[in-house]
Amino acid sequence: MEYNRTTPSADGYYMPAEYEPHKGCIMIWPQRPGSWKKNAKDAEQAFCAVMEEITKSEPVYLAAGKKVLARAEAFAAQQKEKYREAIACGRHFPVTVFEAETDDAWARDMAPTFVKKGGSVRAVNWSFNAWGGTVDGLYASWKLDDAFALDFAKREGYFCYDAAPFVLEGGSIHSDGEGTVMVTEACLLSKGRNPQLSKEQIEEKLKAYLGAEKVLWLPRGIYLDETNEHVDNVCAFVGPAEVVLAWTDDPKDPQYPLSLETLQYLELQTDAKGRKIIVHKLPIPDVPVCVTPEDLEGYVFEEGEDTREVGERLAASYVNFYFSNGAVIMPAFGGKNAESDQRAAEILHSICPQREILPVYARDILTGGGNIHCITQQIPQGKAEKE
């Protein structure tokens, strides 16, 4: 692995869109007691369900710490046996487990961001500080998470650009692969990220390391999103100059003014190629997803770690989906939101008719603080540049 002191943009590299072909997907086995209750048993089931759907069309590279390595390997072995013939014929894909110690399991924010040029793919490492560091970060120690991107790039032989000490998470950026990147002001201008930099300086960093020509600064994200309102929970590119936006028609819902402000902003914007942005409204669950007393059973919070309270509203959104090579892996919340789940799946099918829409019950991921997009990181199709 090499650390290049130039930038992707200077070398002709850019961040591709998530709906472009993938080599595979990075995930991390959950185990943090302050994120995943009862030894992460419920979370494990949800993560495994997501992996099972992803491997229908692409491989999964699964990191696991020493304490949970055997469980991760057992799952991978079970999948290999279950789909042995399909994997041999290329109709299903394996889960490859490797040992890596992390503080938590949010692969989107900790794994490398990948950039490409032609058939060549390189990695980008950002500084990670648990979504705000000592200002408003969600846990006190993030050293292992911060090291993960560089470690993965070295393991897989990717030429790596090191953007540190610039703080950024993968969930806070969305690219159309054609020069336009979306972020939220609420996140990127938060005091816990890069307070020494102006908005203009932050934009120049994004352009340099993502190969972007234009940055769309959405004002807000999802109500009470503890990441300071990552863009991946509120708005996502589904095509060039085409996005889905988390929405509600209820003016009494606290999400309403946030989404309305974002919609009004997008209606006035064009992308890097001068095209008007097509906005598809993707309604949030009709019934707010809130923390129950049962949800709080079995957590073990460390000193300095963000905690949960009964009645706390969680940042539930259907926008937090993952594009696999053959599908959209969509979070579903079940129960009183069964109709909302169905509506979201139908909307996404109308927008992405060439892909299968695969809802996965994801409430047990949401209670950890994120959702399906947050626990996944795509690797673009292409050749890794070796050392």
Side-chain angles (χ1 to χ4, degrees):
M1 182 180 64
E2 298 180 36
Y3 301 100
N4 194 315
R5 288 304 173 185
T6 65
T7 65
S9 179
D11 294 338
Y13 283 76
Y14 66 94
M15 181 183 178
E18 296 182 20
Y19 44 78
E20 295 181 38
H22 300 173
K23 176 183 178 181
C25 176
I26 305 169
M27 293 184 65
I28 303 169
W29 194 268
Q31 63 172 314
R32 187 180 182 87
S35 295
W36 317 106
K37 63 183 181 180
K38 298 180 180 179
N39 295 318
K41 291 299 183 183
D42 294 339
E44 285 181 1
Q45 291 183 14
F47 275 55
C48 289
V50 170
M51 284 188 276
E52 185 144 8
E53 299 294 10
I54 290 174
T55 51
K56 290 178 178 178
S57 59
E58 64 189 65
V60 168
Y61 299 82
L62 178 61
K66 188 180 296 292
K67 292 182 179 179
V68 294
L69 185 61
R71 295 213 291 275
E73 290 177 334
F75 169 73
Q78 179 265 331
Q79 291 293 292
K80 183 177 179 180
E81 181 61 29
K82 182 178 180 180
Y83 297 107
R84 181 177 298 277
E85 292 185 7
I87 290 173
C89 297
R91 292 183 287 104
H92 205 96
F93 296 84
V95 176
T96 300
V97 178
F98 62 97
E99 185 175 344
E101 297 297 337
T102 60
D103 296 297
D104 211 339
W106 306 108
R108 177 66 50 178
D109 295 340
M110 298 148 44
T113 295
F114 292 93
V115 292
K116 67 180 298 183
K117 179 175 70 173
S120 173
V121 177
R122 293 179 175 178
V124 177
N125 171 63
W126 316 99
S127 279
F128 176 81
N129 69 354
W131 310 277
T134 57
V135 176
D136 57 358
L138 300 184
Y139 42 78
S141 175
W142 52 82
K143 182 179 179 180
L144 296 175
D145 284 353
D146 189 35
F148 181 78
L150 287 176
D151 289 346
F152 184 87
K154 182 178 181 179
R155 178 184 183 277
E156 295 296 322
Y158 283 95
F159 191 100
C160 191
Y161 297 94
D162 193 0
F166 185 71
V167 177
L168 193 80
E169 304 96 42
S172 69
I173 52 177
H174 230 288
S175 173
D176 71 345
E178 297 189 4
T180 307
V181 168
M182 287 193 301
V183 301
T184 64
E185 291 186 344
C187 178
L188 267 68
L189 302 184
S190 64
K191 294 181 180 179
R193 301 306 201 287
N194 301 287
Q196 75 282 10
L197 301 180
S198 68
K199 179 179 179 180
E200 291 72 25
Q201 289 172 320
I202 292 172
E203 181 165 318
E204 287 307 308
K205 286 281 189 181
L206 296 174
K207 289 179 177 179
Y209 282 93
L210 300 176
E213 300 167 23
K214 184 170 185 176
V215 179
L216 298 177
W217 289 85
L218 311 189
R220 299 296 301 272
I222 291 292
Y223 177 66
L224 294 183
D225 186 334
E226 57 197 6
T227 64
N228 298 110
E229 303 175 24
H230 272 182
V231 72
D232 71 345
N233 211 24
V234 72
C235 197
F237 280 110
V238 292
E242 189 173 4
V243 302
V244 289
L245 172 66
W247 184 258
T248 177
D249 287 319
D250 182 2
K252 296 180 181 179
D253 192 300
Q255 183 60 40
Y256 181 81
L258 308 186
S259 291
L260 180 60
E261 185 179 1
T262 298
L263 176 63
Q264 292 171 338
Y265 170 83
L266 286 169
E267 288 177 336
L268 298 175
Q269 300 303 311
T270 57
D271 69 2
K273 296 186 179 298
R275 299 171 293 202
K276 294 289 291 182
I277 310 294
I278 298 171
V279 181
H280 302 280
K281 295 177 180 177
L282 187 59
I284 60 175
D286 289 334
V287 180
V289 182
C290 299
V291 175
T292 67
E294 292 74 22
D295 288 328
L296 294 184
E297 295 176 0
Y299 282 109
V300 180
F301 296 109
E302 297 179 357
E303 184 177 352
E305 186 171 10
D306 196 41
T307 60
R308 302 225 172 276
E309 298 178 358
V310 173
E312 174 186 345
R313 176 164 165 168
L314 299 171
S317 165
Y318 296 106
V319 174
N320 206 294
F321 57 77
Y322 178 78
F323 276 117
S324 69
N325 279 337
V328 174
I329 318 299
M330 185 199 87
F333 305 103
K336 295 180 180 179
N337 282 309
E339 291 186 7
S340 301
D341 295 346
Q342 180 63 31
R343 177 184 62 205
E346 291 173 356
I347 291 172
L348 286 172
H349 179 68
S350 69
I351 297 168
C352 307
Q354 76 283 12
R355 294 178 187 265
E356 190 175 4
I357 310 301
L358 301 174
V360 174
Y361 181 70
R363 192 180 187 284
D364 294 315
I365 305 174
L366 179 63
T367 54
N371 221 303
I372 292 174
H373 191 261
C374 304
I375 65 171
T376 53
Q377 172 61 59
Q378 73 281 352
I379 305 173
Q381 187 69 50
K383 183 180 179 181
E385 294 192 13
K386 303 295 182 182
E387 294 184 51

